[in-house]
Each structure stands twice: as structure tokens, then as C-alpha cells.
Amino acid sequence: MSRTTTYPDPRKRRSREAMERALLELVAERDLSALSVSDVTRRARVHRTTFYEHYTDVHDVAAFACTQMFDELVDATPVFHLAGETDPERGHEELTAVFAHIGEHADLYRALLGPEGSARVIDHLLRRINVAVHVNRVGTTAPTHADDPDEVPHDPAAALLSGALMGVITDWLRRGCEGTPEELSTAVAQHFAGAVGHPA
């Protein structure tokens, strides 16, 4: 799944946006497993044929909506330098923003990252987090992660930290998002900074 999906045809783009927006609204009302293609097309006011021009099923549109939304979040996140960082407050605001976003859309993320979820979405989020952590470790002149590359060199420390962050996210979702994003970020940030070390 690419980081961004662009369509030169404005009508197709509007249709996709309408269906993904409808999916997000519906997931906030009831479980993803209870939604049908008709539910999405009715809410988005598009025909079923239009739906199948873009997606295979409801889980497919959910996966696209989720990854697109997560990419937009990461793109807007400021880059900060982690190399040699020992300040437990380093990255605190950025982590809080990530957890706040996950909490706001908890129903969707819980459905896609849980036992009956999407391996495609899990892989996409893990890869995107890994790239962002690597960029934070090695540094860049870019102000945000919007210009992050699609792939980065092998970086075991970044892989360790991105995997740990995904573990925190899935555990938090499984527990019903106990505590606030601020509290979770405070608990995680100090370990995050302390585990970084210097890039090879």
C-alpha cells in the first residue's frame, strides 16, 4: 500500500474520500465487522459499482482510510533529533499527538490492529514508524516527516523502537485506552529516549 493514493480524476478522488469518510463515521457508531458495503455506499451516497471500482470489501476501505489517516498524522509530525538524547521529555509532545490520534479513532485501530485485524495495516504502520524513528536518529534538514523516504537502511535500533511503540499502541487499545495520551506518553518517552543511543 503506497503512502498516498492520488487520482487525477477529481470525481474518482471525491468518491474515494466520501467512502473513506463514511467508513470512519460508521466505525464510530458500530463495529467494523457489522458494517456492509451497502452501509458505506448509502452513507457516502455512491453506487455499489463505484465502491467496487476502488475497493474489494469493507475491510479494504477501512485499511485504506486508516493508513491514509496515519500517514497524514506522521507527515505533519515535526522531526526531532534522538541521537545521544537522554532528556526524557524529548519527543514527548510528538508521542502524545500520536497517542491522541490513536485514541480518537480507537474503534477503527482496534478493529484493524487486533486479533481479527489487517496484516497489511499492521505492516504499513510499522514500516512508517520505523522510517520516522530512523530519520529522527540520523537527522534531516526537513522540518517534518512529510519528506521521509519510503525505505531506509537497516537500522536495528529503529526497528526495536518502532516495534516497541506498536506494542504499546496495541496493548493500549486492547485495554480500552486506559489513561490519557499525555500519561501514556510520559510513561513511554523516558524509555524511548534512553534506548536510542548513537546511530551507527
Side-chain angles (χ1 to χ4, degrees):
M1 185 180 301
S2 62
R3 278 177 50 182
T4 57
T5 303
T6 57
Y7 285 85
D9 186 336
R11 290 175 300 176
K12 289 186 176 182
R13 184 174 63 252
R14 286 195 296 270
S15 293
R16 283 188 70 97
E17 290 173 350
M19 288 184 284
E20 292 178 6
R21 183 168 56 252
L23 185 283
L24 294 176
E25 292 174 358
L26 288 164
V27 168
E29 298 171 7
R30 56 188 189 274
D31 290 344
L32 178 63
S33 60
L35 298 179
S36 67
V37 171
S38 295
D39 291 327
V40 176
T41 56
R42 189 180 304 113
R43 179 68 63 94
R45 297 184 177 180
V46 301
H47 293 293
R48 287 177 67 90
T49 53
T50 301
F51 181 96
Y52 288 113
E53 286 177 3
H54 299 278
Y55 311 106
T56 58
D57 54 26
V58 171
H59 226 70
D60 194 32
V61 64
F64 273 97
C66 182
T67 54
Q68 183 77 17
M69 189 168 55
F70 191 79
D71 283 342
E72 291 172 357
L73 168 71
V74 176
D75 285 348
T77 300
V79 173
F80 57 95
H81 297 278
L82 285 171
E85 187 61 61
T86 58
D87 181 1
E89 290 299 311
R90 194 65 169 134
H92 179 63
E93 289 185 9
E94 291 79 5
L95 281 173
T96 299
V98 169
F99 293 137
H101 166 81
I102 297 294
E104 182 181 356
H105 303 283
D107 292 330
L108 177 64
Y109 280 103
R110 189 177 294 112
L112 293 174
L113 301 182
E116 304 299 322
S118 167
R120 182 174 59 177
V121 171
I122 294 170
D123 180 71
H124 182 92
L125 267 58
L126 190 55
R127 285 174 177 267
R128 191 71 210 274
I129 293 171
N130 183 63
V131 169
V133 173
H134 173 81
V135 169
N136 284 337
R137 276 173 40 77
V138 302
T140 179
T141 58
T144 71
H145 285 284
D147 295 322
D148 282 359
D150 290 330
E151 294 289 344
V152 295
H154 180 50
D155 185 345
L160 173 68
L161 291 168
S162 57
L165 185 54
M166 275 294 289
V168 171
I169 289 171
T170 55
D171 180 70
W172 191 51
L173 288 167
R174 183 175 63 83
R175 297 174 185 276
C177 298
E178 295 178 359
T180 67
E182 177 78 19
E183 291 170 342
L184 186 60
S185 177
T186 298
V188 170
Q190 56 185 330
H191 299 293
F192 207 71
V196 172
H198 292 273

